[in-house]
Amino acid sequence: MTSGSEPRSRGPEAGAGQGRGRHVVLGVSGSIAAYKAPALVRLLRRAGHEVRVVPTAAALRFIGAPALAAVSAHPVSTGLFDDPQAVEHVAVGQWAELVLVAPASADLLARLAAGRADDLLTATVLTTTAPVVLAPAMHTQMWLNPATVDNVATLRRRGLRVIDPASGPLTGADSGVGRLPEPEDVVAQALDLLGGPAGSDAGAEGGEDLRGRHVVVSAGGTREPLDPVRFLGNRSSGRQGVALAAAAARAGARVTLVAAYVGQDVLADLPAQVGVRQVGTAVEMEAAVRQAAAQADAVVMAAAVADYRPARAQATKIKKHTLPRGDVPEGGGERPAEEPPPVITLVENPDVLAGLVQDPPRAGLVVMGFAAETGDEDGDVLAHGAAKARRKGAHLLAVNAVGENLGFGDVPNAVVVLDAQGHEVARARGSKQQVAQALVGLLARYLPGRS
Ligand code: CTP
């Protein structure tokens, strides 16, 4: 067993966002799912946290201490007597701001429920005052056994959070409940305990973080007219932007909402003190946002701004056969070759967000954007988000996965916040209101101090 040493001083790993890294102890017990421990460490570190791994002796039959030490960049110790002078069972528990045990075997749950302290992990759980999250992984029959059921109930009664295991194929030929949930899910649920009510590590406490600040929020979808009755638009409801404006106002900021199309029912959720400027098109949005930003500390671009607009908006209603005709489609299309299809020519709209970054209307302006992404053959959601973060250069970019009923409509959101280099700085999940509160807390920490 590798000898442990005094835990390192506080501070995030390289690449962590804005000094917000927390100390996380990852306990690993004897289950085949222990092989997922390095993935858990990587996710925690990528979120900016410093991680010490404390495996049980049984865990080391499934995963080697050198691998755990390498991914965590910390020595790994298991026993109480590896380095007695360091009084590790107390030191590690005190160092921890969060203890996550994943996987937690049936045996470990039993030992914790009994209050045992016969190795470094159980002793750490007994000494720590930090929140403790247990992610069980075991065979279905062990999970459903009344002994385990009682142990889980005991631990939950004492305030430890026990994550429900997932269902699916088990180690043997059978399948059922008892699998360790996906590492992303385990980490997200664990980090919920580090944040405020938003269930995030973005750090919003809902306090008066923004008193004396002016925040501009854009919301809704722009409408790009074709003629007096028709437009090119999108499905944005404006709810996320309205929730952000409301959260910023609750945090004490003076708030200007630049609203493209937002339903009246959604606007009804706005606190009365939020000033609203209604706009229609992307060009109008750019002018209104830049004007308001000239007196602001921060701009949050939550609006769905159309990338293109029709080159010509006609003053009178377009008649069916008066649109310009394009080329004849290959193969002739559905119409005879002598009748080419109607064409709408588009021109590019300004990128409001990128413009605010490249040419800020006020020095020190902090800019936050949003990116709704889907994964494709060129990369996953985060890869696309990171590329967009680098391309646009906003201080913060909140990325959410869309499709498969994620992120659209009135369903819970999960966002990963990236900095201008595409590095992850925070995660937030929950309702749009909870996500908004978390993001506003994060924004407050990015604002330069007042002199
Ligand atoms: N945005 C903007 N002006 C535009 C387009 C987008 O200010 N013309 C802002 C949005 O408000 C959002 C961020 O940029 O904060 C990302 O929007 P998105 O539509 O994802 O970016 P696009 O550059 O349009 O990228 P894509 O190619 O994925 O559509």
Side-chain angles (χ1 to χ4, degrees), residues 301-303 305-307 350-353 369-373 388 391-392:
M301 283 296 300
V305 185
D307 291 325
D351 188 319
V352 184
L353 181 75
F370 278 80
E373 300 289 346
K388 189 168 286 181
R391 196 167 69 241
K392 301 229 178 197

Side-chain angles (χ1 to χ4, degrees), residues 11-77:
E13 301 289 345
Q18 303 280 312
R20 329 157 9 270
R22 309 283 191 95
H23 289 172
V24 180
V25 168
L26 176 68
V28 184
S29 63
S31 150
I32 183 76
Y35 80 89
K36 294 186 177 166
L40 293 164
V41 173
R42 257 188 230 109
L43 287 166
L44 288 163
R45 292 190 70 196
R46 225 188 281 153
H49 305 296
E50 194 175 351
V51 184
R52 269 184 74 98
V53 185
V54 180
T56 63
L60 294 180
R61 291 175 169 268
F62 296 92
I63 175 94
L68 298 172
V71 286
S72 65
H74 272 291
V76 165
S77 42

Side-chain angles (χ1 to χ4, degrees), residues 107-420:
D107 180 64
L108 186 84
L109 295 179
R111 291 197 291 133
L112 291 177
R116 303 280 298 257
D118 45 8
D119 61 11
L120 184 56
L121 179 55
T122 48
T124 297
V125 172
L126 270 191
T127 50
T128 194
T129 53
V132 178
V133 182
L134 308 172
M138 63 196 74
H139 190 271
T140 306
Q141 273 151 13
M142 295 172 91
W143 174 247
L144 297 178
N145 186 287
T148 307
V149 172
D150 278 357
N151 289 334
V152 168
T154 300
L155 293 164
R156 283 182 170 151
R157 202 176 54 247
R158 290 182 194 151
L160 284 73
R161 180 179 287 192
V162 183
I163 294 174
D164 287 327
S167 292
L170 301 168
T171 310
D174 47 358
S175 70
V177 68
R179 281 170 63 84
L180 187 72
E182 288 307 312
E184 289 77 8
D185 200 23
V186 171
V187 166
Q189 293 199 49
L191 293 182
D192 272 358
L193 291 190
L194 279 180
S200 79
D201 62 337
E205 307 286 89
E208 298 289 282
D209 302 322
L210 292 174
R211 266 178 301 179
R213 305 289 198 172
H214 181 189
V215 177
V216 177
V217 180
S218 72
T222 65
R223 290 182 168 184
E224 311 296 328
L226 276 159
D227 69 12
V229 292
R230 304 183 181 96
F231 58 83
L232 301 182
N234 60 67
R235 291 183 194 277
S236 172
S237 67
R239 280 182 206 281
Q240 184 68 76
V242 166
L244 282 155
R250 276 199 306 276
R254 177 159 82 85
V255 182
T256 304
L257 181 75
V258 180
Y261 180 76
V262 178
Q264 285 306 320
D265 56 324
V266 178
L267 280 178
D269 291 341
L270 267 186
Q273 72 268 31
V274 173
V276 180
R277 284 210 50 191
Q278 287 188 318
V279 296
T281 65
V283 169
E284 289 168 15
M285 161 91 40
E286 183 186 43
V289 166
R290 290 192 69 87
Q291 192 187 40
Q295 275 91 46
D297 298 285
V299 175
V300 181
M301 283 296 300
V305 185
D307 291 325
Y308 297 94
R309 65 179 180 278
R312 212 161 74 86
Q314 304 217 13
T316 53
K317 190 177 167 211
I318 300 166
K319 295 290 177 205
K320 199 168 185 175
H321 293 292
T322 58
L323 269 179
R325 299 278 155 179
D327 298 332
V328 181
E330 243 173 80
E334 285 175 12
R335 292 179 172 277
E338 57 275 15
E339 198 180 347
V343 164
I344 298 169
T345 304
L346 300 177
V347 292
E348 198 164 339
N349 272 328
D351 188 319
V352 184
L353 181 75
L356 289 170
V357 175
Q358 283 152 22
D359 179 20
R362 187 186 190 192
L365 186 74
V366 172
V367 180
M368 178 188 274
F370 278 80
E373 300 289 346
T374 55
D376 60 23
E377 62 279 2
D378 292 331
D380 62 12
V381 167
L382 274 187
H384 284 296
K388 189 168 286 181
R390 288 190 288 269
R391 196 167 69 241
K392 301 229 178 197
H395 300 90
L396 296 165
L397 187 74
V399 180
N400 71 316
V402 290
E404 296 163 12
N405 294 330
L406 284 169
F408 269 359
D410 203 10
V411 295
N413 278 264
V415 300
V416 178
V417 187
L418 307 177
D419 65 15

